[in-house]
């Protein structure tokens, strides 16, 4: 099934709604602020499903996406495991392309949802703003081989990720050179500001 952004989020909410106490629900998100999806995840957790959210480190700790931190705090408060992940170190790839950049890491840019053997994957973010974009996502039913391959990839991401916890004092997870590097590569990046209540990552 090929879906638009609105169709993707509607399907995601429906699939999460089918999760039961033996189900596995994993949401990969670059950005997240959708109330229907957050509420569906919380309901699934209350029904006993295993729910994991893998979020981009910088987006979770920064202020670039409206209501994302509040959404993650809500998930955590209901017992949902939320983990932060970044991409690879960027300098080697830019050097190979003949460009020089300061030290920084890429993003955890996946926008996917797994509910048991059903996988949504594509360009749709789990945000209100994504509903206004031209997006393409697909719904797949995984066979045993596909499920195993995805589980291996999930395990790699989880191993390199950090558990997300709420704190009254923290930071946005990047130093000034990383912010300058990202700003140079993306003019749409929002400015970073500090707040007294932020999310911090604590390694297990």
């Amino acid at each position: 099934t090929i879906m638009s952004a609105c169709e993707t989020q509607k399907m995601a909410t429906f699939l999460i709604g089918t999760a039961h106490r033996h189900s596995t629900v994993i949401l990969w998100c670059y950005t997240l602020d959708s109330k229907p999806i957050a509420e569906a995840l919380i309901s699934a957790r209350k029904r006993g499903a295993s729910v994991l959210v893998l979020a981009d480190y910088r987006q979770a700790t920064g202020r670039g996406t409206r209501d994302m931190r509040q959404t993650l705090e809500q998930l955590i408060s209901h017992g949902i495991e939320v983990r932060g992940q970044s991409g690879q170190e960027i300098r080697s790839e830019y050097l190979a392309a003949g460009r020089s950049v300061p030290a920084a890491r890429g993003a955890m840019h996946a926008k996917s949802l797994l509910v048991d053997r059903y996988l949504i994957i594509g360009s749709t973010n789990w945000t209100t703003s994504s509903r206004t974009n031209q997006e393409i996502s697909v719904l797949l039913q995984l066979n045993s081989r596909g499920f195993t391959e995805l589980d291996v990839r999930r395990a790699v991401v989880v191993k390199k990720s950090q558990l997300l916890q709420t704190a009254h004092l923290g930071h946005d997870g990047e130093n000034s050179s990383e912010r300058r590097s990202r700003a140079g590569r993306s003019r749409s990046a929002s400015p970073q500001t500090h707040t007294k209540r932020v999310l911090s990552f604590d390694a297990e």
Side-chain angles (χ1 to χ4, degrees), residues 54-69:
L54 295 167
D56 178 68
Y57 184 104
R58 179 175 182 267
Q59 291 296 319
T61 59
R63 296 177 67 104
T65 300
R66 182 176 178 177
D67 299 331
M68 180 166 177
R69 289 181 301 151

Side-chain angles (χ1 to χ4, degrees), residues 3-21:
M3 302 173 291
S4 67
C6 292
E7 290 169 339
T8 298
Q9 292 188 9
K10 183 177 180 180
M11 178 61 73
T13 304
F14 169 77
L15 288 176
I16 298 169
T18 67
H20 48 79
R21 67 187 183 93

